[in-house]
Amino acid sequence: MASTIKDIARVAGVSTATVSRVLNHLGGYNEDTEKKVMAVAKALGYRKNENARSLVQKSSKTIGVIMPEVTTAFYGDIIKGIEDVAYEYGYSVILTHAGSQGSRIQESMNLMGERRVDGLIIVSVELHEPAMESLLSLDVPYILISTKTKREDAPYIKVDDERAAYTAVKYLIDHHHRTIGMAGANPEDPIAGAPRINGYIQALLDHGIKVDLNLIKAGDFSFESGKQAMQAFLEDQAKITAVFCASDEAALGIISACFERQISVPEDLTVVGYDNSKVSSMSIPPLTTVAQPLYEMGKAGCSKLMDAIIHHTSIESQVIAHELVVRQSVKKLS
Amino acid sequence: MASTIKDIARVAGVSTATVSRVLNHLGGYNEDTEKKVMAVAKALGYRKNENARSLVQKSSKTIGVIMPEVTTAFYGDIIKGIEDVAYEYGYSVILTHAGSQGSRIQESMNLMGERRVDGLIIVSVELHEPAMESLLSLDVPYILISTKTKREDAPYIKVDDERAAYTAVKYLIDHHHRTIGMAGANPEDPIAGAPRINGYIQALLDHGIKVDLNLIKAGDFSFESGKQAMQAFLEDQAKITAVFCASDEAALGIISACFERQISVPEDLTVVGYDNSKVSSMSIPPLTTVAQPLYEMGKAGCSKLMDAIIHHTSIESQVIAHELVVRQSVKKLS
DNA sequence: ACCCGTTACGTAAACGTTTACGTTCCTTAT
DNA sequence: ATAAGGAACGTAAACGTTTACGTAACGGGT
């Protein structure tokens, strides 16, 4: 059904080579034949077959994106950034998620290999050693967004979580809070967990506040884990005046739990989130939070990747600036 | 660098045909050669080239997904549903967004055509006639999720927005509300706007409540448009006791505006949302809302598409059930 | 001894492009 | 007049698979 350049060549009375040249604007033909070929192509409803082109050019003009779960708005922003620049370069993005706990990651990589993607972006998924092997065996440029690995040379782009957490906690201290809880971080997560906890601890230490490990409630960044943390604080009868959360969702969990018990935020308890996801501006009260420029991270990551693909250069890691977005969930103590 | 089946054939001392047969488990070879071929393939680090396969099989084992903007969690759920079932079938999904106002939709379709996708899923984007032409010219199965077109025969999968809106408003009426506002819907949106407004109106009419058009504040489903609607209600000094919103985000906008003016929800004003997006359970107070089963819609849509691709059957449209998720943003009047 | 069927392969064409190389013809400089 | 060079093509190989078809070997039934 679909017509090919052979059909065009036959009808237009030229060779396939000429058709190809015309279609790709390569020059080496005169205007008459150009018009003729173009006309025939249109008449036949020709559409090029990218797979055939990929085969001979050994480049699929496609990049792969692997992420943990597509479900949160968090990743939506990053993807949008990626897709926007890929589109500009005429590249397509093929998307896969790595399953919960990265269970599908090996298969994902394999799939990307079979599709012959020209580059790979890995978002937020933790790469264990075998996965890293697979990744390298693909032998294409790649970049990690919002992740790192043990390998020093693996290019990444992310914010400095420890410093960001430090900033947030210092902000609380500057507002005269002295008993500050932490909620929602998973200490075993070397990417988004431990560094934020360390930043929290360091900020306290640097300001002469002694660290009480009971005030650190571990979690998995979820809304639920925030709620549970608040419950734990209450059961402990902890005298906290503020709590720093490892995610906005956890912060909303804290607020939600407070709401159920008629604890007013920020009157009775100050809350700071992390991510500056869309919800943070919509919550009651609007949430003061640490911003990760997600869209920009996607954009920057993809730009770097494109550069590496096109110019065969290597990619340099980048730590991008975080920012504290001040809204109304923090009270200044006297 | 990458090895091919020719390499394997040479090393293993068989023909490429046999290698292909072994690799695809087609039978017609004895165990010894199978082991040999497999061993050589592993040794050479062979990885099949999907593009070459696509070319000869005339099937890319790929489906395309087009959506308006990737950025909201709304679409994340749908995509996850899609990707989950595509993965099961061994299909990849290639993703593109249609730009704001669908500005990029023609190009997107074209791209999907060139990639020779086996099927297409279009999420939430409104298809004008030329776009519909392009879509049909691709000559592959497709399904619309959360959209419809004028064409009766275009298969879609969505909830009945009018009935869903009706349900929500009836719920308010059953709770003795009589002066009910509506916010956030765009009346010119024939998919998600007008039907919800109609459902709202119909519910009022059916219960003998006269419709006051001033109580319908148009918007674009956003948080901002919710805030503006609330502001308008206040300026009008409208005596509403409840407001039905065309989206959760708009509902949060209403709540946020109330918060700023010390109006308590649901004590002073009842609010109902639409979507049951993640935020609805996190808001203060938790939001009573109309649920669209997004993940299921993605899953069902992709399943139908797969079926159509594999069995060459046509796709039947499906209206899937909505549900009212009751939380705490509605007050029962006496 | 002959035929038939099956198993286990190999041969080669085909998929739709791109592209290195060749060819023809025309122009221009020497 | 001739060489040189460029413009405008055409030829055919190549990309890495799949697959229709052919074939050789073997076993068993008559």
Side-chain angles (χ1 to χ4, degrees):
Chain A
M1 197 79 262
S3 54
T4 74
I5 63 171
K6 284 185 189 172
D7 299 325
I8 300 180
R10 187 164 26 78
V11 176
V14 296
S15 73
T16 61
T18 297
V19 176
S20 176
R21 280 188 279 253
V22 170
L23 259 26
N24 293 306
H25 309 107
L26 295 180
Y29 44 80
N30 73 25
E31 256 183 63
D32 289 350
T33 55
E34 175 176 7
K35 298 207 191 250
K36 175 119 201 178
V37 167
M38 284 306 204
V40 174
K42 188 153 294 177
L44 295 184
Y46 171 76
R47 207 181 320 250
K48 99 151 76 153
N49 185 325
E50 270 292 331
N51 293 319
R53 188 205 52 75
S54 297
L55 187 55
V56 21
Q57 307 234 62
K58 291 169 175 305
S59 151
S60 59
K61 276 182 172 291
T62 285
I63 64 169
V65 174
I66 301 182
M67 53 179 46
E69 298 278 348
V70 191
T71 200
T72 88
F74 186 92
Y75 302 114
D77 277 337
I78 296 183
I79 296 192
K80 185 165 187 306
I82 292 173
E83 216 262 323
D84 275 351
V85 352
Y87 184 83
E88 261 178 53
Y89 281 85
Y91 276 63
S92 301
V93 0
I94 136 169
L95 183 77
T96 212
H97 69 267
S100 51
Q101 336 291 16
S103 54
R104 263 166 37 178
I105 191 165
Q106 297 276 8
E107 289 182 79
S108 289
M109 298 241 176
N110 204 33
L111 185 140
M112 295 297 182
E114 294 184 350
R115 299 279 175 194
R116 292 294 191 275
V117 294
D118 293 340
L120 205 52
I121 299 182
I122 295 166
V123 181
S124 273
V125 351
E126 210 182 317
L127 293 176
H128 47 285
E129 199 47 36
M132 201 61 203
E133 296 282 351
S134 303
L135 175 55
L136 291 175
S137 80
L138 291 187
D139 200 32
V140 294
Y142 67 91
I143 186 168
L144 314 180
I145 295 187
S146 199
T147 330
K148 278 171 73 173
T149 26
K150 288 161 195 163
R151 306 221 179 202
E152 284 301 318
D153 54 337
Y156 60 84
I157 170 167
K158 69 189 295 287
V159 315
D160 182 337
D161 284 69
E162 180 163 344
R163 281 199 43 201
Y166 188 100
T167 305
V169 175
K170 178 170 180 340
Y171 178 80
L172 293 175
I173 295 171
D174 289 347
H175 281 65
H176 303 119
H177 290 274
R178 287 297 175 272
T179 315
I180 302 171
M182 164 134 196
N186 174 7
E188 284 166 18
D189 179 338
I191 313 300
R196 296 181 195 177
I197 295 177
N198 288 341
Y200 160 84
I201 292 176
Q202 198 58 47
L204 295 182
L205 291 177
D206 284 1
H207 294 81
I209 302 174
K210 74 166 194 287
V211 176
D212 178 355
L213 292 181
N214 288 322
L215 295 185
I216 302 179
K217 305 297 180 193
D220 60 356
F221 308 96
S222 69
F223 179 73
E224 268 314 316
S225 77
K227 278 188 104 155
Q228 285 163 13
M230 190 62 214
Q231 188 147 357
F233 284 133
L234 290 171
E235 282 169 7
D236 293 359
Q237 301 200 313
K239 298 257 178 278
I240 52 172
T241 61
V243 42
F244 167 58
C245 303
S247 73
D248 286 342
E249 295 198 5
L252 291 195
I254 296 277
I255 294 179
S256 179
C258 287
F259 171 73
E260 287 171 6
R261 294 171 180 78
Q262 265 104 313
I263 299 171
S264 161
V265 175
E267 234 10 82
D268 303 331
L269 184 69
T270 279
V271 176
V272 168
Y274 198 110
D275 282 341
N276 192 33
S277 56
K278 219 170 172 184
V279 292
S280 56
S281 64
M282 301 185 192
S283 78
I284 307 292
L287 200 60
T288 293
T289 187
V290 174
Q292 302 196 64
L294 301 172
Y295 177 76
E296 280 72 22
M297 287 167 76
K299 245 181 128 161
C302 193
S303 293
K304 280 169 183 281
L305 186 68
M306 283 298 154
D307 210 58
I309 290 173
I310 293 170
H311 302 111
H312 297 97
T313 80
S314 62
I315 302 182
E316 284 181 29
S317 296
Q318 181 183 352
V319 172
I320 66 171
H322 63 270
E323 191 187 346
L324 190 70
V325 178
V326 174
R327 295 203 183 85
Q328 304 168 38
S329 61
V330 172
K331 182 187 181 188
K332 183 161 194 166
L333 299 183
S334 51
Chain B
M1 196 81 261
S3 54
T4 73
I5 65 169
K6 283 184 188 171
D7 299 326
I8 300 180
R10 186 164 27 78
V11 176
V14 296
S15 73
T16 61
T18 297
V19 175
S20 176
R21 279 189 280 256
V22 170
L23 258 27
N24 293 306
H25 309 105
L26 295 180
Y29 43 81
N30 73 26
E31 256 183 64
D32 288 351
T33 53
E34 176 176 5
K35 295 204 194 263
K36 176 119 200 178
V37 167
M38 284 304 206
V40 174
K42 188 154 296 180
L44 295 184
Y46 171 76
R47 207 182 319 252
K48 98 150 77 149
N49 185 324
E50 269 293 331
N51 293 319
R53 189 205 52 75
S54 296
L55 187 56
V56 22
Q57 309 234 54
K58 291 170 176 304
S59 151
S60 59
K61 277 183 172 288
T62 284
I63 63 170
V65 174
I66 301 183
M67 54 182 42
E69 298 279 348
V70 191
T71 200
T72 88
F74 186 92
Y75 302 114
D77 277 337
I78 295 182
I79 297 192
K80 185 165 185 306
I82 292 172
E83 216 261 323
D84 275 352
V85 353
Y87 185 82
E88 262 178 51
Y89 282 86
Y91 276 63
S92 300
V93 357
I94 137 171
L95 184 76
T96 211
H97 70 267
S100 52
Q101 337 291 15
S103 55
R104 261 166 40 177
I105 191 165
Q106 298 277 6
E107 288 182 82
S108 290
M109 299 243 174
N110 203 33
L111 184 140
M112 295 298 182
E114 294 183 352
R115 298 278 176 195
R116 292 294 191 272
V117 295
D118 293 340
L120 206 52
I121 299 182
I122 295 165
V123 181
S124 273
V125 352
E126 211 181 316
L127 293 176
H128 47 287
E129 199 49 33
M132 201 62 204
E133 296 283 350
S134 304
L135 175 54
L136 291 175
S137 81
L138 291 187
D139 201 33
V140 294
Y142 67 92
I143 186 168
L144 314 180
I145 295 186
S146 200
T147 331
K148 279 170 70 174
T149 25
K150 287 161 195 164
R151 305 222 179 201
E152 284 302 317
D153 55 335
Y156 60 85
I157 171 167
K158 69 191 294 288
V159 314
D160 181 336
D161 283 68
E162 180 164 344
R163 282 198 45 200
Y166 188 101
T167 305
V169 175
K170 180 174 180 338
Y171 178 80
L172 293 175
I173 295 171
D174 288 347
H175 281 64
H176 303 121
H177 290 273
R178 287 298 175 271
T179 314
I180 302 171
M182 163 134 199
N186 175 4
E188 283 164 20
D189 180 337
I191 313 300
R196 296 181 194 177
I197 295 177
N198 289 339
Y200 160 82
I201 292 176
Q202 198 58 47
L204 295 183
L205 291 177
D206 284 1
H207 293 81
I209 300 174
K210 74 167 193 287
V211 176
D212 179 354
L213 292 181
N214 287 323
L215 296 185
I216 303 179
K217 304 298 180 194
D220 60 356
F221 308 96
S222 69
F223 179 73
E224 269 314 316
S225 77
K227 278 188 105 155
Q228 286 162 12
M230 190 61 212
Q231 186 145 357
F233 284 133
L234 290 171
E235 283 170 8
D236 293 358
Q237 303 202 312
K239 299 259 179 276
I240 51 173
T241 60
V243 42
F244 167 59
C245 302
S247 74
D248 286 343
E249 295 199 3
L252 292 195
I254 296 277
I255 294 178
S256 179
C258 287
F259 171 75
E260 287 171 5
R261 294 171 180 76
Q262 265 104 315
I263 300 170
S264 161
V265 175
E267 238 5 87
D268 304 330
L269 184 69
T270 279
V271 176
V272 169
Y274 198 111
D275 285 340
N276 193 34
S277 55
K278 220 171 173 184
V279 291
S280 55
S281 64
M282 302 184 190
S283 78
I284 307 294
L287 200 60
T288 293
T289 188
V290 175
Q292 300 197 66
L294 300 171
Y295 178 74
E296 280 72 22
M297 288 166 75
K299 244 180 131 162
C302 194
S303 293
K304 281 169 183 281
L305 186 69
M306 283 300 156
D307 211 59
I309 291 172
I310 293 168
H311 302 111
H312 297 97
T313 81
S314 62
I315 303 182
E316 283 180 30
S317 296
Q318 182 183 352
V319 172
I320 66 170
H322 63 270
E323 191 187 349
L324 189 71
V325 179
V326 174
R327 294 203 182 86
Q328 302 168 40
S329 62
V330 171
K331 181 187 180 189
K332 184 161 192 166
L333 299 184
S334 53

